[in-house]
Amino acid sequence: MPTITQEMPTKLKRLSIYLEPEVKDVIETMATDEQRSLANMISVLITEALTNRGIAPPTKKGKN
């Protein structure tokens, strides 16, 4: 019997990327160490990179 999966509704945008296997391995290790999902760890790294470049990442509505 086929399994039906439904995704949680979200306003977040999906992004597909290609990574060298070694880079993915490093990020997976970081995610495990911080008890995060791989996707969340990549999101954190992108936000940190923007901040380090002086680009303020957008804030979530209702959070200051």
Side-chain angles (χ1 to χ4, degrees), residues 3-56:
T3 302
I4 299 172
T5 59
Q6 294 181 348
E7 294 185 21
M8 297 284 292
T10 179
K11 293 181 181 180
L12 299 176
K13 301 297 180 185
R14 183 176 297 214
L15 176 68
S16 297
I17 61 171
Y18 292 94
L19 297 171
E20 293 291 336
E22 299 83 5
V23 172
K24 182 176 180 269
D25 290 344
V26 169
I27 297 171
E28 282 181 327
T29 300
M30 292 172 70
T32 299
D33 291 347
E34 296 187 20
Q35 298 181 355
R36 299 177 182 272
S37 67
L38 179 61
N40 180 257
M41 188 75 245
I42 291 170
S43 179
V44 167
L45 292 171
I46 291 170
T47 300
E48 288 176 357
L50 291 172
T51 301
N52 289 340
R53 290 176 178 242
I55 302 168

Side-chain angles (χ1 to χ4, degrees), residues 58-64:
T59 58
K60 293 180 182 178
K61 290 182 181 178
K63 293 193 176 188
N64 294 329

